[in-house]
Amino acid sequence: MSILVVGSVALDSIQTPFGKVKEALGGSATYFSAASRLYNDVNLVAVVGRDFPQEHVESFRQWGVNLDGLQVADGKTFRWSGRYSYDMNSAETLDTQLNVFATFHPELPESYKESEFVFLANIDPVLQLEILSQIRKPKLTVLDTMNYWINYRKDALTKVISAVDIVLLNEAETRQYGNTFSLIRAAHKILSLGPKALVVKKGEYGAVLFANNGDLKDSFFFAPAYPLEKIQDPTGAGDSFAGGFVGYLASRKSTSMDDIKRAMVHGSVVASFTVEDFSVGRLRALTRDQIQERYLDFKRFTNFEPTCPWSDSCTHLAPCEGAVASQ
Amino acid sequence: MSILVVGSVALDSIQTPFGKVKEALGGSATYFSAASRLYNDVNLVAVVGRDFPQEHVESFRQWGVNLDGLQVADGKTFRWSGRYSYDMNSAETLDTQLNVFATFHPELPESYKESEFVFLANIDPVLQLEILSQIRKPKLTVLDTMNYWINYRKDALTKVISAVDIVLLNEAETRQYGNTFSLIRAAHKILSLGPKALVVKKGEYGAVLFANNGDLKDSFFFAPAYPLEKIQDPTGAGDSFAGGFVGYLASRKSTSMDDIKRAMVHGSVVASFTVEDFSVGRLRALTRDQIQERYLDFKRFTNFEPTCPWSDSCTHLAPCEGAVASQ
């Protein structure tokens, strides 16, 4: 059950109140890969320039990421430069140099076409559609985008939204696409186009899931953000959320609503590690055990009724054997 | 186990994008009473002017609120006028006329002094301290305040914070009191003064609990806001949250951390009804069954692992009788 990701691999220069980095490894496909490789095999489709440092290629190799789809083009690698103030929920872009990314035309190696879990990171929706049409039998397709494409490629974007299973957007993008201040109404507009679910990312306020299965009561789920005392750099939080989200579902070989809820929590857990360091610093050292530990923390942070320790093996047909009144 | 509330009873004139009301029943103690009376007996301490409409007095009576502590003073009732734009998280105050509230000096009827659950709504912290000193054996004391007192009465406010069990603040007030952008650090500063817990209200982003019992992992809890398609008027959301919160704990006669978590959910549920109409319109018609229904919705919205349906009567000493593999 391999995962396919198409998106950017970039060199990021970032300032936050807590430090800065220059030309560090970044890009949507990078953050996604660094996270999802902890769950499953990853096939990367992206482009870099001739100047892309070999050590970063080695990083992808160490993570076990399949690089057959990584093009090396004449020219310079995509560069992004941004700054965050104390409100870490949104970045101020200082400079964008598309370089080789401007003429990027993704091509799928033959072996990638069997990928079953697909993440279309934030690129031109026209290219996202091309990719989609090449996948033979996707089990789950997940889409990300940004305000730029909502402004300038809304028709193509609407086509991709209609074609995928799950859409990931941040709060402002959801309202912008839906053209309404009401998040719920905007969500319903997006779901009416066809996707099974919409995940709205709210930064430090967590993420909410709207699912396309009728009554709101059965189609809403909320995952808070992990409480962190110090955030170094929020860059990549959304893409690594996607990495934990898609990665978990691929590892479970599932697209059930129950697993999608748990995938939201995995996304939040992975994103909480990402922001603790610049670039992919924290993701490099991350382990499944550390993910599991914070996953259990999330249970404590959100459960207000006791959960059954036997739930994995039981259908609750009767009270527990030897049950005694607890209070 | 009666509840004591001291705060304002007011006549509110409010505009939102969805309508407006003129001189409608409002005030912190009003919203709190209209909510907490669904859980327990309520003793009200407040002041109104000679112009206070008799029909509003009748409303309190219908809710079963004890009015022995309601003073009727010469002069006009406290009036507040405010406006909300599409971002319903904060109001713009258009006019405040303190009137009889300016010289309010709360006095506790003898019978109130035995109250065990106490809510000090947003008034001068000097008065809050006076009230506290008159309660004989409070089981739980809960405090609310506002930016004005943080600016102009910080010393007195710090004394009340040190003297109560639980502090309720909104996000901006928490950061302002803690003098730091980090919500977690601000929370720790407040908890270091002595209260057992701090509840930070985040409007449409829900509410978080920080408890003073060591490790963050055992002292953090998150309750989202109930997803509503349309909010008529956010006025009173915080005070009715407090009403559901304190009301639930009083009805349980408990101050355990498990019950405090459930009280957070009750607060969120009640607040979600409040904002569906202007003034106390929705709270008037609210029933315990409707509260219970949304409480169960909250379980669905936040649980990502199965809960045990027998949890109320069982300590999970063994797997459920007749258990079969669920997957």
Side-chain angles (χ1 to χ4, degrees):
Chain A
M1 287 271 169
S2 34
I3 298 168
L4 172 79
V5 54
V6 54
S8 61
V9 172
L11 298 173
D12 286 349
S13 297
I14 293 160
Q15 302 168 35
T16 81
F18 308 108
K20 56 182 175 179
V21 288
K22 203 170 147 53
E23 305 211 336
L25 180 57
S28 57
T30 301
Y31 281 104
F32 180 89
S33 302
S36 58
R37 55 103 192 180
L38 285 157
Y39 295 86
N40 224 283
D41 295 338
V42 180
N43 297 324
L44 173 72
V45 179
V47 65
V48 294
R50 301 267 171 222
D51 61 345
F52 191 65
Q54 187 58 31
E55 64 178 285
H56 295 336
V57 178
E58 289 308 319
S59 289
F60 282 103
R61 291 232 166 84
Q62 275 170 24
W63 299 336
V65 174
N66 185 341
L67 298 180
D68 291 352
L70 179 68
Q71 304 168 25
V72 182
D74 288 333
K76 292 174 77 179
T77 301
F78 175 35
R79 279 167 173 75
W80 179 76
S81 172
R83 181 165 55 194
Y84 297 85
S85 64
Y86 281 95
D87 180 355
M88 296 270 213
N89 286 314
S90 62
E92 176 195 359
T93 290
L94 299 174
D95 190 30
T96 302
Q97 297 172 22
L98 288 176
N99 298 332
V100 295
F101 204 60
T103 54
F104 175 47
H105 196 83
E107 275 170 47
L108 289 200
E110 205 50 37
S111 64
Y112 281 28
K113 295 180 181 172
E114 307 296 333
S115 304
E116 297 200 273
F117 288 79
V118 179
F119 181 59
L120 305 168
N122 165 37
I123 57 170
D124 188 332
V126 174
L127 301 180
Q128 291 176 322
L129 277 170
E130 277 182 30
I131 291 280
L132 262 193
S133 68
Q134 295 176 61
I135 312 286
R136 295 218 177 86
K137 273 173 66 181
K139 193 169 164 69
L140 184 80
T141 52
V142 181
L143 171 78
D144 193 11
T145 190
M146 72 184 289
N147 50 3
Y148 181 86
W149 308 117
I150 301 175
N151 283 326
Y152 300 109
R153 287 278 198 286
K154 192 154 183 183
D155 285 355
L157 179 58
T158 300
K159 275 188 199 154
V160 207
I161 289 176
S162 310
V164 297
D165 298 311
I166 297 180
V167 178
L168 303 184
L169 295 175
N170 71 31
E171 209 175 350
E173 290 156 1
T174 306
R175 293 193 161 111
Q176 188 191 352
Y177 187 91
N179 198 26
T180 167
F181 195 82
S182 161
L183 201 67
I184 297 183
R185 257 180 260 168
H188 287 167
K189 271 195 199 178
I190 290 166
L191 291 177
S192 74
L193 298 172
K196 282 204 299 193
L198 166 71
V199 176
V200 181
K201 298 170 288 177
K202 298 184 173 192
E204 70 170 295
Y205 298 112
V208 296
L209 171 85
F210 297 94
N212 202 357
N213 50 1
D215 187 17
L216 178 69
K217 295 188 179 192
D218 295 321
S219 57
F220 182 85
F221 177 73
F222 190 90
Y226 193 89
L228 293 171
E229 192 152 350
K230 194 164 183 180
I231 291 173
Q232 290 281 352
D233 172 16
T235 310
D239 294 306
S240 57
F241 176 97
F245 181 84
V246 177
Y248 175 76
L249 291 171
S251 73
R252 294 276 298 167
K253 302 177 177 44
S254 165
T255 60
S256 76
M257 198 48 66
D258 282 348
D259 277 319
I260 287 174
K261 288 179 182 181
R262 290 188 271 266
M264 295 264 296
V265 177
H266 276 271
S268 295
V269 165
V270 169
S272 76
F273 286 110
T274 304
V275 303
E276 288 187 322
D277 200 352
F278 283 85
S279 181
V280 291
R282 185 65 187 87
L283 292 179
R284 281 183 200 284
L286 189 58
T287 66
R288 281 301 298 260
D289 282 351
Q290 290 170 330
I291 291 174
Q292 186 59 18
E293 200 182 323
R294 284 203 181 169
Y295 180 87
L296 295 177
D297 289 342
F298 265 88
K299 250 171 100 165
R300 279 197 284 263
F301 294 164
T302 57
N303 273 356
F304 51 90
E305 295 287 353
T307 54
C308 178
W310 312 107
S311 56
D312 282 345
S313 59
C314 145
T315 54
H316 314 298
L317 295 174
C320 297
E321 195 176 351
V324 295
S326 62
Q327 290 184 338
Chain B
M1 285 272 169
S2 30
I3 299 168
L4 172 79
V5 54
V6 55
S8 61
V9 171
L11 297 173
D12 286 349
S13 296
I14 294 161
Q15 301 169 35
T16 81
F18 308 108
K20 58 181 174 180
V21 288
K22 201 169 148 54
E23 304 211 335
L25 180 57
S28 58
T30 301
Y31 281 104
F32 179 89
S33 302
S36 58
R37 57 103 192 179
L38 285 156
Y39 295 86
N40 224 284
D41 296 338
V42 180
N43 297 324
L44 173 72
V45 179
V47 65
V48 293
R50 301 267 170 220
D51 62 345
F52 191 65
Q54 186 59 28
E55 64 178 287
H56 295 336
V57 176
E58 290 308 318
S59 289
F60 282 103
R61 289 231 168 86
Q62 273 169 26
W63 299 335
V65 174
N66 185 343
L67 297 181
D68 291 352
L70 180 67
Q71 304 168 23
V72 182
D74 287 334
K76 293 175 74 180
T77 302
F78 175 37
R79 278 164 171 78
W80 178 75
S81 172
R83 182 164 56 194
Y84 296 86
S85 64
Y86 281 94
D87 180 353
M88 296 269 212
N89 286 314
S90 60
E92 177 195 357
T93 290
L94 299 174
D95 189 31
T96 302
Q97 297 173 22
L98 288 177
N99 298 331
V100 295
F101 203 61
T103 52
F104 175 46
H105 195 83
E107 274 170 47
L108 288 201
E110 204 50 38
S111 65
Y112 281 27
K113 296 182 180 171
E114 305 297 331
S115 304
E116 297 200 272
F117 288 79
V118 179
F119 180 59
L120 305 167
N122 165 37
I123 56 170
D124 188 331
V126 173
L127 301 181
Q128 292 175 322
L129 276 171
E130 276 182 31
I131 291 280
L132 261 192
S133 68
Q134 295 176 61
I135 311 285
R136 294 218 177 87
K137 273 173 67 183
K139 194 169 162 70
L140 183 79
T141 52
V142 181
L143 171 79
D144 192 10
T145 190
M146 72 183 289
N147 51 4
Y148 180 86
W149 309 116
I150 301 175
N151 283 326
Y152 300 109
R153 289 277 199 286
K154 193 155 183 182
D155 285 355
L157 179 58
T158 300
K159 274 188 199 154
V160 207
I161 289 176
S162 309
V164 297
D165 298 311
I166 298 181
V167 177
L168 304 183
L169 295 175
N170 71 31
E171 210 175 349
E173 290 157 1
T174 306
R175 292 191 161 110
Q176 188 192 351
Y177 187 92
N179 198 24
T180 166
F181 195 82
S182 163
L183 201 66
I184 297 183
R185 256 180 263 169
H188 287 167
K189 270 195 200 179
I190 290 165
L191 291 178
S192 73
L193 297 172
K196 281 204 300 195
L198 166 71
V199 175
V200 181
K201 298 170 289 178
K202 298 182 172 193
E204 69 170 296
Y205 299 112
V208 296
L209 171 85
F210 298 93
N212 202 356
N213 50 0
D215 188 16
L216 179 69
K217 295 188 179 191
D218 295 321
S219 58
F220 182 85
F221 177 73
F222 190 90
Y226 193 89
L228 294 172
E229 192 151 350
K230 194 164 182 180
I231 291 174
Q232 290 281 354
D233 173 15
T235 309
D239 294 306
S240 56
F241 177 98
F245 182 84
V246 177
Y248 175 76
L249 291 171
S251 73
R252 294 278 297 167
K253 301 179 177 45
S254 165
T255 60
S256 76
M257 198 48 65
D258 282 347
D259 277 319
I260 287 174
K261 289 179 180 180
R262 289 188 271 267
M264 296 264 297
V265 177
H266 276 271
S268 295
V269 165
V270 169
S272 77
F273 286 110
T274 303
V275 303
E276 288 187 322
D277 200 351
F278 284 85
S279 182
V280 290
R282 185 66 187 87
L283 292 179
R284 279 183 201 283
L286 189 58
T287 66
R288 281 299 298 261
D289 281 352
Q290 291 170 331
I291 291 175
Q292 186 59 18
E293 199 183 322
R294 283 203 181 167
Y295 181 86
L296 295 176
D297 290 341
F298 265 88
K299 251 172 100 162
R300 280 198 284 264
F301 294 164
T302 57
N303 272 358
F304 51 90
E305 296 286 355
T307 54
C308 179
W310 311 108
S311 56
D312 282 345
S313 60
C314 145
T315 53
H316 314 299
L317 293 174
C320 297
E321 195 176 351
V324 295
S326 62
Q327 290 182 339

